[in-house]
Amino acid sequence: MIALPTPPTSHSGPTQSSALSLLSMLQEDSQPLVFSALKKLLRVVDTLWHEVSASLPLLEEIAEGEEFPKETKAVASAVASRVFFHLEEYRDSLRLALGAGDAYFNVVSDKSPYVETLVCKAIEIYTKVSDSSSTADDDVMDDNVEDDGLKDKVLGIVEKMFERCYSERTWSHALGIALEAKNIDKVKQILEKCGDSLNEKVATLQYGLSACTTVVVNRAFRTEALTVIGENFRSLPESHNDFASLVRCEHLLGNSSSVSEMLAGLLKTGGDKSLLALQLCFDLVDTGDQHFVSAVTSGLPKGDSVSSEIKADMEKVTAILEGGFAGELELAFLFKESDSDPLIIANLKKSLEEKGKVASLLHSMSLHANAFLNAGTTNDKFLRENLEYLKKANNWAKFSATANLGCIHQGHVTEAMTLLEPYLPAEGGAVAATGGYAEGGALMALGLIHGKPNCATALRTSTTRYLRDQLRTNSANETICHGAALGVGLSGLGCRDATIFNELKEVLYTDSAVAGEAAGIAMGMVQLGNGGGGNQEVTEMLAYAKDTSHEKIIRGLSLGIALMHYQLEEKADGIIEQLFRDRDPVLRYGGMWTVALAYVGTGNNAAIKKLLHVAISDVSNEVRMAAITALAFVLFKTPERVPELVKLLLVSFNPHVRYASCMAVGIAMAGSGNADTLAILEPMLEDLTDFVRQGALIATSMVMMQAPESHKSYKKFKSKLTGIVGEKHQSPLTKMGAILGQGIMDAGGRNVCLNMASRDGFVKPTSVIGIMMFCQHWFWHPCCSLLGLAFQPTVMAGLNHDLAFVKKFVVTCNSKPSAFAYPARLVEKKEEVKKRVTTVSLSTTAKAKAAAAKKKKEEGGDDMEVDKKEEETKKEGEGEGEEEKEGEEDSEAAKKKKKKGPEPKSFELNNPSRMTKSQVRVCEPKPGRYHPVLAGAKSGIILLTDTTPTEEDDEVEKVTVPSVEEEEAKMPEPFVWRPEGAAPAAAPTTTDDGAAK
């Protein structure tokens, strides 16, 4: 919908206190008198419209009467139109304005708020009339435009607006109207007319590409428009071609072969074009669309067809697309630049152990928090140093604890088997029907490590094969099957392999509740986005869900069905309608998630309307929760809309609705630190219901991710999180939220953030799945571990042609350092040493002591004791003086610290470095030897072109992946030891054969 401008509050013209005298003249029989009154009313109507509104029926009668001249009817229409305008009845205002004619409603030359508003309304009606898919109950189409002849008049107005855009060369405005109206002929016409200026055409095409993913909600028309835009991009001369936009367009269309040809062509050109090809490869991997990336890789020339000139560059392209180089780079960054504070989890453990036995729920959550704090950093020091604490985990808590290793070592694919070897099922041993929690967790951890699409394809394939073997071998143990099934789903995400799907289906048909739930979810992961159109697999899953009596299996299958309709939009409407109408609340629950995943990031109004209807009408609390949470998925590209939508739901009488509203706000606004959002969530932190407080704590932690210490809410919220864990009277569910919140807020060594989109705006499937599965912790706590899939590193890394870090590349951040600095680490509290208080002695006591000493001396006693006491007293006095001096020195140092100069207004970021989402807009590459090959690139992996390639640069650093096997210390050089003061050793003598004696 097009936003309408705010109506003006006043109108320039002659001042008149009342319009009643002019209105009375309208009832006169004299037509000239009526015409004169109307002309005068037109001049004052913008200030006295509230009086004129009472005579609207009379004005409309004059405007439509046959007995009045044309000019009189036109003026009456103009006056009535302006009254309706001020009453905000824009449709009636537009109808009468069109009747007034160009003299009173000139859309070409008049740019007043009145004209601009009605033009917007005309365009709105035009887009609804042109859009055959628009709903009949829309407020714009409440009356048939054919009945009053409005359609043809509106078309005339819009045509004039197109001509005005052409004359003013505002091509983007015209293209936006055409795209919203779904008029492909107008799109072609606009792109043809702007072709006389190549720069303007490139800018218009870039706008059109962006608008197709935001404005156009109809999938079929979007494909049609993107095809036209792609053809125009390809027709541009090479000097003006935007290869990054063209690759994005081809990706949206699914044309992998075109992208493969483009990459090969750029490599053949050489120079900066080969660097551009490498940059485009990194951007493709960043989208997370593993299926498309694999198709592009298979379309590249291989073997003998690769010429010797581009062989080295082709190897780099292959390493990026399927060799896992991007994953290795992220892993190296998170490992090296980690700012994880070990005292956070240490203090958390201490708080939980203070009161004796630790509750199983809180113990398990503390291990999840540790996994979040160190996600992707490979830092498992806390687990290795606290084995006794780890041993407290039993049954499914042990499963979660082992699975958390996958979150910590995410992306560390080269040594995954070595890391998890102690926990994996023994080869060839007998399979017990019970137990196997550590083994099942290890298999799930293996899937988590290989879950992201930027890891090596060969290693992911071999891991999937290993997990499938474990799935078959351990079919008798449902716990191990549960972990193996989830592991297969994660490592085989989006592979669409029918064999794997059938193997998971066999696990499902065993009708084991625990294993069946995981199998249902894994089936959806494997067939990600491959449902719709009466898919046979979907039909089978839905039929089994209705046959089984296990609620866990039904929930797993419903989530699997949702995953199979990922990003299918209108193609998923059939199954969505079927699930919405089902009597089983668990299947309706799956229907909500199907909407969330099918329309993720589209902002589709029809989907939002359905979700809001269910959120206030369904009888099941779980279904209502899923509907509200799904709003965050549909609207995550316009996150500011979510708090506005759920503001009223946050004050609902239903605590489940309040909880889900908090989670929706947190997911949508993650990492923003938005003050208004935090103000909305703040009252929920004190809610009377414990799980609502839990949701508010988790949501606020998401919003505060990567917030600096200078943020006004940081210290207050941080102290609240730590305080709740230590409070005796807080419920376990609230403490659970505080514990998870501590992990989420400082996740990934403070170098990651929750994000469902790539830097190019593509929806990342792993992030969407990670957040969706985390929301299932309401039913199944081990699902918490999957949130690690949604953590995206906020990295800025500049690479040269050899894919090494360039230290001379620096980025200037035009902001104060404190605005984006890491928060200070916690300081371990030292035990206070009690100071000795000097005893105050009275004068009489001193005299008595002196007399006793004198008497003892006279009796021949040893006066050494008295002297010693005096010396001790003297030393104590000296010590106190020294302490006072030290205190004075400390206070002086503190004063000097306070007297520091003003904080600089900018600072520099070295390569590589953390760059948060909000930081990108204030950063610019510093001019120097290196600059980005892709203009405008500021964050992520940036390929750099060298302005002086002939000069050697020794300030480069290779990307190195952390190793599990630590290097042993070198042996010391041989030496001879002798005690201090001993004589030097005699020179060794030799035998006849030269050997030393």
Side-chain angles (χ1 to χ4, degrees):
M1 300 289 284
I2 299 171
L4 299 176
T6 305
T9 55
S10 62
H11 177 70
S12 59
T15 58
Q16 186 167 335
S17 59
S18 176
L20 295 177
S21 60
L22 296 174
L23 292 171
S24 63
M25 293 169 64
L26 297 180
Q27 299 178 0
E28 298 292 334
D29 295 333
S30 173
Q31 291 188 358
L33 192 60
V34 172
F35 178 74
S36 176
L38 288 170
K39 292 289 283 185
K40 290 179 180 179
L41 277 173
L42 185 60
R43 289 196 292 267
V44 300
V45 68
D46 287 331
T47 54
L48 302 175
W49 58 269
H50 54 285
E51 290 184 359
V52 182
S53 62
S55 301
L56 273 174
L58 179 59
L59 289 169
E60 288 194 77
E61 184 181 337
I62 296 171
E64 296 170 3
E66 296 294 334
E67 68 274 14
F68 290 97
K70 185 177 180 181
E71 183 64 20
T72 304
K73 292 164 65 176
V75 180
S77 297
V79 173
S81 173
R82 287 185 174 272
V83 174
F84 277 118
F85 169 76
H86 288 290
L87 290 170
E88 297 186 10
E89 297 288 343
Y90 298 123
R91 193 179 185 283
D92 289 323
S93 179
L94 176 62
R95 172 176 57 82
L96 289 161
L98 291 171
D102 292 343
Y104 303 100
F105 184 60
N106 192 329
V107 299
V108 177
S109 58
D110 190 354
K111 295 185 180 179
S112 65
Y114 165 71
V115 173
E116 292 292 325
T117 303
L118 295 189
V119 165
C120 287
K121 188 65 179 178
I123 293 170
E124 188 177 340
I125 294 174
Y126 169 74
T127 56
K128 294 296 179 183
V129 170
S130 302
D131 182 9
S132 58
S133 63
S134 62
T135 55
D137 60 344
D138 196 285
D139 59 345
V140 175
M141 303 299 292
D142 54 356
D143 295 317
N144 192 347
V145 294
E146 301 286 356
D147 292 345
D148 50 15
L150 190 60
K151 180 179 178 181
D152 294 335
K153 294 177 182 178
V154 164
L155 291 176
I157 291 293
V158 175
E159 284 297 329
K160 289 179 182 178
M161 282 304 302
F162 277 123
E163 293 300 326
R164 173 176 154 184
C165 291
Y166 298 158
S167 62
E168 295 176 356
R169 304 188 73 81
T170 53
W171 309 111
S172 298
H173 189 183
L175 187 60
I177 297 170
L179 288 172
E180 195 168 358
K182 299 183 180 61
N183 191 331
I184 196 65
D185 294 328
K186 277 293 179 186
V187 171
K188 293 177 181 177
Q189 184 187 80
I190 293 162
L191 294 177
E192 185 180 346
K193 284 183 176 291
C194 70
D196 55 344
S197 171
L198 288 175
N199 290 331
E200 288 183 1
K201 185 167 185 177
V202 171
T204 306
L205 288 170
Q206 289 172 341
Y207 170 80
L209 181 60
S210 175
C212 279
T213 58
T214 53
V215 176
V216 182
V217 295
N218 184 276
R219 188 186 182 95
F221 178 76
R222 187 191 309 135
T223 303
E224 197 175 356
L226 286 170
T227 303
V228 173
I229 291 170
E231 290 171 356
N232 278 270
F233 264 124
R234 285 189 288 272
S235 67
L236 293 171
E238 191 172 333
S239 59
H240 284 76
N241 209 333
D242 183 357
F243 290 100
S245 295
L246 181 54
V247 167
R248 186 182 173 200
C249 184
E250 298 290 10
H251 189 175
L252 290 167
L253 290 168
N255 296 335
S256 58
S257 57
S258 299
V259 176
S260 301
E261 291 173 10
M262 193 188 310
L263 293 175
L266 289 170
L267 291 176
K268 287 177 183 177
T269 307
D272 284 350
K273 295 297 182 185
S274 61
L275 271 175
L276 181 59
L278 298 178
Q279 179 69 69
L280 295 176
C281 290
F282 277 116
D283 292 345
L284 279 172
V285 173
D286 186 53
T287 63
D289 191 343
Q290 182 185 337
H291 189 71
F292 185 81
V293 172
S294 299
V296 170
T297 308
S298 61
L300 292 170
K302 292 179 177 63
D304 297 334
S305 60
V306 181
S307 61
S308 57
E309 292 83 6
I310 66 168
K311 189 172 183 180
D313 287 337
M314 188 60 75
E315 288 175 356
K316 294 173 188 173
V317 167
T318 307
I320 296 168
L321 293 178
E322 64 176 7
F325 182 81
E328 291 176 359
L329 190 150
E330 288 185 357
L331 183 67
F333 166 75
L334 291 174
F335 171 74
K336 187 177 179 182
E337 301 296 325
S338 173
D339 193 56
S340 180
D341 190 348
L343 278 181
I344 294 176
I345 190 65
N347 291 345
L348 181 59
K349 172 178 173 287
K350 187 178 178 182
S351 296
L352 293 175
E353 290 181 329
E354 274 181 354
K355 297 173 178 63
K357 188 177 179 181
V358 183
S360 176
L361 170 66
L362 302 183
H363 177 269
S364 181
M365 291 304 115
S366 67
L367 296 179
H368 282 301
N370 175 64
F372 296 158
L373 286 168
N374 300 288
T377 65
T378 73
N379 181 7
D380 55 5
K381 187 178 179 181
F382 174 79
L383 300 178
R384 287 187 279 106
E385 291 181 351
N386 296 275
L387 293 176
E388 290 300 320
Y389 184 74
L390 197 61
K391 286 178 184 177
K392 294 178 182 179
N394 295 313
N395 301 330
W396 284 105
K398 185 186 288 187
F399 179 97
S400 297
T402 317
N404 281 330
L405 286 171
C407 184
I408 294 172
H409 293 277
Q410 198 167 68
H412 203 180
V413 293
T414 53
E415 301 188 14
M417 296 299 291
T418 306
L419 288 162
L420 296 171
E421 187 178 5
Y423 309 100
L424 292 170
E427 295 292 337
V431 180
T434 57
Y437 295 101
E439 292 83 352
L443 294 174
M444 179 176 163
L446 206 56
L448 277 170
I449 291 173
H450 295 81
K452 289 197 175 181
N454 57 9
C455 65
T457 305
L459 290 172
R460 190 192 302 116
T461 305
S462 62
T463 300
T464 305
R465 194 180 303 115
Y466 169 80
L467 288 167
R468 289 167 62 189
D469 292 340
Q470 294 297 327
L471 190 65
R472 288 189 292 268
T473 306
N474 298 282
S475 57
N477 188 304
E478 64 176 7
T479 307
I480 298 178
C481 266
H482 182 89
L486 287 175
V488 168
L490 290 167
S491 63
L493 185 67
C495 67
R496 301 179 183 179
D497 190 317
T499 306
I500 299 176
F501 183 86
N502 289 329
E503 288 176 1
L504 291 167
K505 190 163 62 173
E506 289 176 11
V507 176
L508 176 71
Y509 287 164
T510 60
D511 209 40
S512 164
V514 174
E517 179 185 33
I521 295 170
M523 289 161 74
M525 289 180 177
V526 170
Q527 293 287 348
L528 185 71
N530 198 31
N535 187 289
Q536 182 63 30
E537 287 87 352
V538 175
T539 306
E540 291 176 3
M541 291 170 71
L542 191 58
Y544 191 81
K546 292 185 176 182
D547 288 342
T548 185
S549 58
H550 295 294
E551 184 180 316
K552 290 176 74 67
I553 293 179
I554 300 171
R555 181 170 288 108
L557 286 169
S558 65
L559 293 174
I561 291 169
L563 288 163
M564 291 179 70
H565 291 86
Y566 171 75
Q567 282 196 312
L568 291 187
E569 300 179 39
E570 292 89 352
K571 291 183 180 179
D573 285 347
I575 191 69
I576 288 171
E577 193 64 28
Q578 190 175 349
L579 292 172
F580 267 47
R581 294 179 180 277
D582 202 281
R583 295 179 63 184
D584 189 341
V586 182
L587 286 176
R588 293 203 305 277
Y589 175 86
M592 302 307 115
W593 285 109
T594 306
V595 175
L597 268 61
Y599 289 96
V600 60
T602 61
N604 187 285
N605 286 328
I608 294 168
K609 187 176 179 180
K610 286 179 181 178
L611 293 172
L612 287 173
H613 175 72
V614 174
I616 61 173
S617 63
D618 201 277
V619 294
S620 169
N621 286 325
E622 284 76 17
V623 176
R624 296 175 73 177
M625 287 167 59
I628 296 167
T629 311
L631 290 170
F633 287 75
V634 178
L635 291 168
F636 85 85
K637 288 187 179 179
T638 52
E640 62 282 350
R641 291 179 62 189
V642 177
E644 291 297 323
L645 273 176
V646 304
K647 189 180 288 185
L648 293 176
L649 297 176
L650 281 166
V651 293
S652 169
F653 71 93
N654 189 321
H656 295 81
V657 170
R658 298 199 300 273
Y659 168 86
S661 300
C662 290
M663 291 299 292
V665 171
I667 292 167
M669 302 297 291
S672 67
N674 185 273
D676 294 334
T677 304
L678 293 171
I680 290 173
L681 290 172
E682 190 173 6
M684 298 295 104
L685 297 172
E686 308 298 335
D687 197 275
L688 296 176
T689 309
D690 54 0
F691 63 81
V692 177
R693 296 196 297 273
Q694 178 198 103
L697 289 165
I698 293 172
T700 308
S701 300
M702 290 177 175
V703 177
M704 291 292 288
M705 287 183 82
Q706 295 190 323
E709 202 167 1
S710 58
H711 193 289
K712 64 179 183 180
S713 301
Y714 180 86
K715 290 182 179 178
K716 181 182 176 183
F717 181 65
K718 194 78 173 177
S719 62
K720 189 173 188 67
L721 286 176
T722 54
I724 286 174
V725 178
E727 283 182 24
K728 182 179 179 181
H729 300 293
Q730 287 285 0
S731 73
L733 286 180
T734 306
K735 289 185 177 183
M736 172 184 166
I739 294 169
L740 290 177
Q742 290 187 55
I744 292 169
M745 193 171 172
D746 293 315
R750 296 170 173 165
N751 289 319
V752 301
C753 189
L754 282 177
N755 198 354
M756 285 191 273
S758 70
R759 292 176 183 86
D760 285 340
F762 286 90
V763 182
K764 300 194 81 163
T766 48
S767 297
V768 174
I769 292 168
I771 297 175
M772 183 198 79
M773 291 303 299
F774 174 74
C775 293
Q776 309 312 312
H777 77 263
W778 181 271
F779 306 101
W780 196 234
H781 287 157
C783 292
C784 288
S785 302
L786 278 82
L787 184 64
L789 293 170
F791 291 147
Q792 302 300 323
T794 51
V795 59
M796 181 282 298
L799 305 180
N800 62 7
H801 195 276
D802 297 324
L803 302 182
F805 295 121
V806 180
K807 294 300 179 182
K808 289 182 179 178
F809 177 66
V810 178
V811 173
T812 303
C813 183
N814 298 306
S815 175
K816 292 181 179 180
S818 61
F820 301 106
Y822 287 109
R825 293 196 178 196
L826 299 176
V827 180
E828 191 171 2
K829 291 182 180 180
K830 295 180 181 178
E831 293 183 6
E832 294 181 4
V833 180
K834 294 182 179 179
K835 294 181 180 179
R836 182 177 176 181
V837 180
T838 308
T839 307
V840 179
S841 58
L842 299 173
S843 57
T844 53
T845 308
K847 287 178 182 178
K849 284 183 178 180
K854 186 177 180 182
K855 185 178 180 182
K856 196 168 186 179
K857 191 174 181 181
E858 289 173 354
E859 293 174 356
D862 192 1
D863 60 344
M864 290 298 292
E865 292 181 8
V866 178
D867 294 340
K868 282 180 182 178
K869 287 180 181 178
E870 287 176 359
E871 285 177 12
E872 286 174 5
T873 308
K874 188 177 180 182
K875 284 180 181 178
E876 284 175 10
E878 288 175 358
E880 287 172 10
E882 286 175 7
E883 285 178 6
E884 287 175 7
K885 285 180 182 178
E886 285 176 7
E888 288 173 7
E889 288 174 5
D890 291 343
S891 62
E892 285 176 10
K895 285 178 183 177
K896 285 180 182 178
K897 280 186 179 180
K898 288 180 182 177
K899 289 180 181 178
K900 278 186 178 180
E903 190 177 7
K905 294 183 179 179
S906 66
F907 63 100
E908 292 182 348
L909 294 173
N910 295 321
N911 181 30
S913 186
R914 180 184 82 158
M915 185 181 288
T916 64
K917 289 195 293 184
S918 56
Q919 193 175 2
V920 175
R921 57 187 173 80
V922 294
C923 289
E924 288 293 338
K926 187 177 180 181
R929 176 175 173 178
Y930 296 94
H931 60 85
V933 70
L934 196 62
K938 297 180 183 179
S939 63
I941 301 173
I942 307 169
L943 267 293
L944 304 171
T945 180
D946 190 351
T947 54
T948 56
T950 53
E951 295 181 14
E952 189 177 349
D953 186 1
D954 55 354
E955 294 185 37
V956 294
E957 181 185 337
K958 289 186 178 180
V959 177
T960 53
V961 179
S963 175
V964 176
E965 297 177 3
E966 297 181 1
E967 293 184 7
E968 295 183 3
K970 293 182 179 179
M971 291 292 292
E973 295 292 331
F975 65 94
V976 177
W977 178 84
R978 60 178 181 272
E980 188 178 350
T989 58
T990 57
T991 58
D992 295 338
D993 59 355
K997 287 185 179 180

